[in-house]
DNA sequence: TTGAAAGCGCTAACAG
DNA sequence: CTGTTAGCGCTTTCAA
């Protein structure tokens, strides 16, 4: 709040002198000890916080590089950020293009609280992850000034990077049918995510059209975590009629589900087959190893960066939609032949 | 690179006009269509990138809040950032104190490449994670101008937030002895981390002083990942004399190790007991569930934020060292009685 | 040993 | 419709 001028005034020196002292160049500039102390004391008293925008603007050496904000929801999905950042880091290391990364946490469905999206005073472009329906509605109705890329969200007005989540769900239904299953189940995370929603619809609709029985009681929802998967699976196991295959829409939940099945003495894949979604690193080492849908998070993160930089550089108006493919990783929990 | 003045010059308008057009206020300010087009074309031609420092400095409404950088290494440890960010987010939500979070990736042992630590033009304070010995040496010899907090690193000159890693390792040795083990093993991640180093020393030294046999061949190193743990465990199982308990210094590796043991038909805990370290969320759901040393990452992240804010606010404070306690989480893989 | 002053890039009154 | 101008907070010559 307090500017260097106020410090200078309180210390009865000029702004220039105050600047030297505050930056530790007091001795170098041969400012007297007493003056230095006065300045420091004044700074402390007024709670001086250097304005880095001003510093940066002034300092000559500092190159202007694009500032990219990653807008991520503050909820259980924070766990997913590390794979995304891995992709960003990879990009960072391999690209000669420099950029700065800012993490902007936001509460799901409260994207409108982020003033900086409107003012454009904090970043040159934003990658928005986990936007809910409300968030999207806000974006579509408020002509944002800053370039934006939506991660795992469809939109006609904004650039997007995503996979076909409907198809991903659909392919799991196909797989279940081809493996001769008649009655299947599903475990769904309770989060407001379009990707999860579409994944679910793809699975449900395709099950229906293929004649796979997906009983209401075999659709279970739980929190987006290992714990949630564990609880959901236990709940499912309490049903009268058990499915012979379950699609768990998140690997984290699948990890918990496997444990619940193991504890209940249900053998995977002999009694029930399990398919997860994401291909998180640990799924290769669950017991049994988990068959899952690979989500190319790292590549998508890279694409998000590419897209946002492109948008920033050629203030290109027409949105770019980048779509990635998902694919099965067959392991022991379903369909592996090793 | 190109400033608004150059755009204005090329488009033959004033800077003010160019500013309006570039910010989408052209219509509102009733700038003629042709002028708008000229400005936009000029901006595109020169590759205009708005200088957000200048924008921010100028825009009145924007409050000055501290910018906190999280300096994290670009390596396998990126996986650990999500728990840390979870803590930061929690803090963000519960504190009325506002701050901005910047992620600055750096290559391990190349902290000196981060000019911004010297210039102080990008953030008001930095939380440095995973600093290697070289990085610390650099910091100690280069009187950094920006307030700094070291995460999981000891230092006399800088503020720190950490646990007593030596003690953590030591306690595992105690546990093994109290459970009657005679010959023990250890799986260590190959990363340049003081915390891991101390953890290892604590374990090794205490084993020695307690008379626990820790054969050289039962000390295995591997990459910091589930895969690394899996490979390490397989390697260990190839030894002539097997230990009856193994301390795996990272939960990720422990997860992989459990799988290797399972595949080899070695029963945990009956044949070999396993203790991990970190208490990652999934360890509650490994098979068997993993006994591990709880590392309070989220609380430490919160402490890092508190400390750095304190340092930023009262400049010239002597370093604050905050230490957290680790504790065992007993599960099936070692010592659980449930 | 210190002060005065210019100016970083940008925005927003205020004049035309 | 568009140009001019006054700063935002800071650093850094240049003078004194």
């Amino acid at each position: 709040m307090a500017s260097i001028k106020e410090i200078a005034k309180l210390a009865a020196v000029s702004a220039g002198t105050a600047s030297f002292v505050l930056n530790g160049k007091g001795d170098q500039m041969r400012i007297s000890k007493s003056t230095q102390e006065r300045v420091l004391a004044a700074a402390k008293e007024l709670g001086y916080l250097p304005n880095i925008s001003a510093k940066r603007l002034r300092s000559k050496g500092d190159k202007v590089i694009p500032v990219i904000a990653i807008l991520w929801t503050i909820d259980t999905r924070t766990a997913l950020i590390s794979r995304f950042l891995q992709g960003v880091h990879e990009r960072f290391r391999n690209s000669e293009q420099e950029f700065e990364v800012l993490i902007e946490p936001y509460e799901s469905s409260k994207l409108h609280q982020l003033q900086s999206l409107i003012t454009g005073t904090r970043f040159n472009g934003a990658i928005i992850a986990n936007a809910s329906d409300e968030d999207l509605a806000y974006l579509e109705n408020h002509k944002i000034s800053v370039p934006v890329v939506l991660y795992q969200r469809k939109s006609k007005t904004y650039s997007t990077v995503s996979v076909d989540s409907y198809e991903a769900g659909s392919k799991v239904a196909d797989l279940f049918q081809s493996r001769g299953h008649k009655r299947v189940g599903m475990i769904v995370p309770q989060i407001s995510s379009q990707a999860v929603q579409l994944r679910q619809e793809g699975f449900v609709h395709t099950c229906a059209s293929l004649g796979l029985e997906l009983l209401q009681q075999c659709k279970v929802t739980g929190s987006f975590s290992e714990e949630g998967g564990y609880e959901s699976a236990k709940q499912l196991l309490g049903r009268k009629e058990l499915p012979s295959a379950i699609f768990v829409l998140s690997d984290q939940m699948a990890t918990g589900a496997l444990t619940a099945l193991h504890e209940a003495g249900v053998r995977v894949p002999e009694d029930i087959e399990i398919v997860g979604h994401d291909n998180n690193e640990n799924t290769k080492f669950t017991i049994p190893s988990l068959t899952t849908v690979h989500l190319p998070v790292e590549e998508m993160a890279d694409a998000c960066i590419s897209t946002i930089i492109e948008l920033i550089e050629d203030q290109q108006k027409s949105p770019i939609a980048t779509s990635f493919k998902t694919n099965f990783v067959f392991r022991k929990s379903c369909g592996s032949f090793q």
Side-chain angles (χ1 to χ4, degrees), chain A residues 7-8 10-22 26-27 29-43:
Chain A
I7 309 298
L10 182 60
V13 295
S14 75
T17 306
S19 172
F20 287 134
V21 176
L22 260 9
D27 290 334
M29 287 293 143
R30 303 194 302 184
I31 310 288
S32 73
K33 270 272 159 279
S34 66
T35 304
Q36 292 204 37
E37 275 164 24
R38 261 196 346 267
V39 172
L40 261 7

Side-chain angles (χ1 to χ4, degrees), chain A residues 239-252:
Chain A
R239 307 308 193 206
K240 278 196 302 287
E241 307 177 284
L242 287 186
S244 62
I246 304 175
F247 178 30
V248 187
L249 276 69
S250 116
D251 277 352
Q252 277 185 81

Side-chain angles (χ1 to χ4, degrees), chain A residues 56-57 59-67 96-100 124:
Chain A
R56 194 167 185 180
L57 177 59
S59 81
K60 206 61 197 170
D62 211 89
K63 272 202 294 184
V64 215
I65 57 177
V67 179
E96 74 298 344
Q97 162 71 270
E98 290 182 278
F99 56 91
E100 207 167 315
N124 296 103

Side-chain angles (χ1 to χ4, degrees), chain A residues 26-220:
Chain A
D27 290 334
Q28 188 185 320
M29 287 293 143
R30 303 194 302 184
I31 310 288
S32 73
K33 270 272 159 279
S34 66
T35 304
Q36 292 204 37
E37 275 164 24
R38 261 196 346 267
V39 172
L40 261 7
K44 198 159 183 174
E45 186 181 336
L46 298 182
Y48 176 60
L49 177 67
N51 182 324
I52 60 131
S53 300
K55 282 186 98 139
R56 194 167 185 180
L57 177 59
R58 188 57 235 263
S59 81
K60 206 61 197 170
D62 211 89
K63 272 202 294 184
V64 215
I65 57 177
V67 179
I68 299 174
I70 299 177
L71 275 51
W72 205 276
T73 43
I74 312 185
D75 56 23
T76 43
R77 281 168 289 181
T78 306
L80 301 179
I81 207 173
S82 67
R83 271 185 76 187
F84 193 90
L85 282 181
Q86 203 114 31
V88 173
H89 281 188
E90 210 53 45
R91 167 57 178 256
F92 197 83
R93 182 156 52 177
N94 298 327
S95 152
E96 74 298 344
Q97 162 71 270
E98 290 182 278
F99 56 91
E100 207 167 315
V101 181
L102 199 62
I103 301 276
E104 284 266 358
Y106 74 97
E107 234 179 292
S108 186
S109 298
K110 303 230 172 121
L111 194 58
H112 59 270
Q113 292 181 340
L114 273 195
Q115 269 311 97
S116 35
L117 262 178
I118 302 286
T119 61
T121 52
R122 273 156 80 150
F123 39 79
N124 296 103
I127 296 167
I128 305 184
N130 310 328
S132 71
D133 292 339
E134 290 93 322
D135 294 329
L136 192 65
Y138 164 71
L139 287 174
E140 313 245 281
N141 300 327
H142 282 252
K143 220 56 197 110
I144 305 300
S145 60
V146 182
V148 157
V149 172
L150 299 176
Y151 170 65
Q152 281 285 62
R153 243 296 175 189
K154 303 284 174 200
S155 167
K156 277 126 276 137
T157 26
Y158 290 99
S159 291
T160 58
V161 170
S162 56
V163 298
D164 188 336
S165 295
Y166 185 94
E167 191 198 26
S170 182
K171 286 198 295 193
V172 177
D174 288 339
L175 175 70
F176 283 172
Q177 200 226 15
S178 76
R179 295 186 57 73
H181 292 287
K182 303 294 182 209
R183 178 181 295 137
V184 299
M186 173 166 85
I187 293 180
V188 184
Q190 240 162 359
I191 45 172
S192 167
S193 152
Q194 190 187 46
V196 167
Q197 181 61 27
L198 290 173
R199 213 176 285 164
Q200 180 177 353
E201 285 171 12
F203 182 68
V204 172
H205 293 170
T206 309
C207 279
S209 72
L210 292 176
L212 277 177
E213 188 178 0
L214 174 57
L215 294 175
Q216 196 56 37
Q217 57 170 17
C218 293
K219 286 195 227 171
V220 184

Side-chain angles (χ1 to χ4, degrees), chain A residues 79-84 86-87 226 250-255 258 276-298 329 331:
Chain A
L80 301 179
I81 207 173
S82 67
R83 271 185 76 187
F84 193 90
Q86 203 114 31
E226 284 86 354
S250 116
D251 277 352
Q252 277 185 81
M253 294 187 79
T255 303
L258 285 178
H277 190 288
D278 286 356
N279 193 24
N280 286 348
E281 206 186 348
N282 74 306
T283 56
K284 196 171 163 189
F285 301 97
T286 52
I287 297 175
S289 60
L290 186 69
T291 294
T292 187
V293 178
H294 174 71
L295 188 68
V297 179
E298 295 83 356
V329 180
R331 300 207 189 94

Side-chain angles (χ1 to χ4, degrees), chain A residues 3-5 20 112-113 132 185 187-188 207 221 224 226 235 245 259 262 274 317 328 332-334:
Chain A
S3 76
I4 204 167
K5 270 189 195 163
F20 287 134
H112 59 270
Q113 292 181 340
S132 71
I187 293 180
V188 184
C207 279
T221 62
F224 185 74
E226 284 86 354
Q235 209 175 314
T259 305
H262 175 82
I274 301 285
K317 280 301 158 218
F328 281 115
K332 297 221 179 85
S333 75
C334 177

